[in-house]
């Protein structure tokens, strides 16, 4: 098996990695067009209370979080059968990602 480690120590200091140490608070909710039964299932699957869940995501993983849950596009462009959850605080999340104020933890 080939050795993939770099022979020299890294010049990068993990303690100063702001994107890794900064968390962004994402608030997700149910798509408005879900039926009552669908809402109940999605609430259970996502650990929601009252149709809302708060998830703290490391800033360096925000792209993957949004992509994984399909939150990287406007929910109104997708049918509820495809997009069960929506990002309720997208403006705050994007501001925090871009280093502006936004809502961080």
């Amino acid at each position: 098996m080939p050795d993939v480690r770099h022979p020299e120590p890294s010049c990068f200091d993990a303690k100063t990695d702001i994107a890794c140490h900064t968390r962004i608070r994402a608030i997700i909710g149910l798509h408005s067009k879900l039926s009552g039964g669908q809402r109940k299932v999605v609430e259970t699957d996502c650990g929601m209370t009252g149709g809302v869940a708060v998830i703290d995501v490391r800033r360096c993983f925000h792209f993957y979080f949004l992509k994984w849950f399909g939150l990287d596009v406007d929910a109104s462009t997708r049918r509820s059968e495809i997009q069960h959850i929506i990002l309720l605080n997208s403006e705050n999340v994007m501001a925090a990602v871009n280093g502006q104020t936004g809502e961080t933890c």
Side-chain angles (χ1 to χ4, degrees):
M1 174 176 267
D3 187 8
V4 294
R5 294 175 291 166
H6 195 282
E8 301 293 321
S10 174
C11 62
F12 180 77
D13 184 6
K15 294 176 188 169
T16 62
D17 186 353
I18 294 170
C20 182
H21 296 293
T22 304
R23 294 180 184 262
I24 297 172
R25 179 154 290 156
I27 303 172
I28 60 170
L30 298 167
H31 194 290
S32 62
K33 294 185 178 172
L34 290 174
S35 70
Q38 291 170 322
R39 294 175 72 85
K40 191 170 185 174
V41 169
V42 174
E43 278 184 323
T44 302
D45 284 350
C46 294
M48 294 180 170
T49 303
V52 175
V54 176
I55 304 169
D56 295 332
V57 182
R58 289 183 191 270
R59 185 173 169 192
C60 59
F61 293 129
H62 85 280
F63 172 81
Y64 304 103
F65 170 78
L66 296 176
K67 232 11 180 174
W68 181 262
F69 289 105
L71 301 171
D72 56 331
V73 297
D74 182 5
S76 66
T77 64
R78 292 186 172 163
R79 295 187 335 260
S80 63
E81 295 87 8
I82 297 169
Q83 185 66 47
H84 303 127
I85 60 173
I86 59 170
L87 187 59
L88 298 175
N89 65 334
S90 59
E91 291 176 10
N92 287 340
V93 168
M94 295 317 295
V97 164
N98 295 326
Q100 300 162 2
T101 47
E103 189 173 345
T104 57
C105 308

